[in-house]
Amino acid sequence: MENKTFYNEVVTDHNMHPLHKHELEDPDIVLDGVNPSCGDEISLELKVDDGVITDGAFVGDGCAVSQASADIMLELIIGRTIEEAKRYSSLFLKMIKSEATPEEIEELEEAGALSDIAHMPARVKCAVLGWHTFDEMVKKLEQM
């Protein structure tokens, strides 16, 4: 019960009071992500300087889970290198598949609160939208 309460608090807080839901001025890369099964959509924007994510934001519409997860992701990856952020994304997706260890989930900080999503199949695509969009951005950055 305690974990569900924490999940509800984290999702509600990030959905109602997102820190990173706004447009960035002069982002280095922008990519849209869409979950066609439910209509969630985001536009993820990052500023990257010398391999470090210096700022990030998103705009979009969707359910509380998709919007909160994108905000939580940005909170975790801003200030990190692209390599560190890729590792967090990999851990998050591993957690969603119920394959992460408790130590790996703890590394995800607040994002670890979404671990119960693994048991809610209808919400998985919502939770991973921002993370998949980030992974696609990284592929584009690596091609630049």
Side-chain angles (χ1 to χ4, degrees), residues 132-144:
H132 280 312
T133 305
F134 169 74
D135 288 344
E136 290 301 314
M137 288 180 106
V138 169
K139 288 177 188 171
K140 285 185 180 270
L141 282 170
E142 290 171 343
Q143 293 172 355
M144 294 172 102

Side-chain angles (χ1 to χ4, degrees), residues 6-72:
F6 183 57
Y7 160 81
N8 288 333
E9 288 173 4
V10 169
V11 169
T12 299
D13 185 49
H14 279 275
N15 184 53
M16 299 297 290
H17 310 288
L19 298 172
H20 303 287
K21 191 171 184 176
H22 56 84
E23 290 185 12
L24 282 184
E25 189 173 316
D26 298 323
D28 294 311
I29 188 163
V30 177
L31 189 65
D32 296 332
V34 177
N35 178 356
S37 63
C38 69
D40 293 342
E41 55 187 29
I42 64 165
S43 182
L44 187 60
E45 304 175 347
L46 295 179
K47 287 188 178 188
V48 180
D49 185 23
D50 203 22
V52 175
I53 300 166
T54 58
D55 203 359
F58 76 101
V59 292
D61 293 304
C63 70
V65 172
S66 72
Q67 303 299 289
S69 185
D71 196 56
I72 291 166

Side-chain angles (χ1 to χ4, degrees), residues 3 12 30 39 42 61 70 83 87 106 112 115 128:
N3 199 27
T12 299
V30 177
I42 64 165
D61 293 304
E83 290 306 310
R87 182 172 184 283
E106 192 171 310
S115 64
V128 301

Side-chain angles (χ1 to χ4, degrees), residues 118-131:
H119 308 295
M120 302 176 217
R123 308 310 273 166
V124 167
K125 287 184 180 177
C126 306
V128 301
L129 177 61
W131 299 85

Side-chain angles (χ1 to χ4, degrees), residues 93-114:
L93 297 173
K94 190 175 174 183
M95 176 187 75
I96 293 300
K97 295 175 188 170
S98 296
E99 297 172 355
T101 66
E103 294 79 20
E104 289 172 325
I105 293 170
E106 192 171 310
E107 278 185 67
L108 289 169
E109 300 174 16
E110 271 193 325
L114 298 175

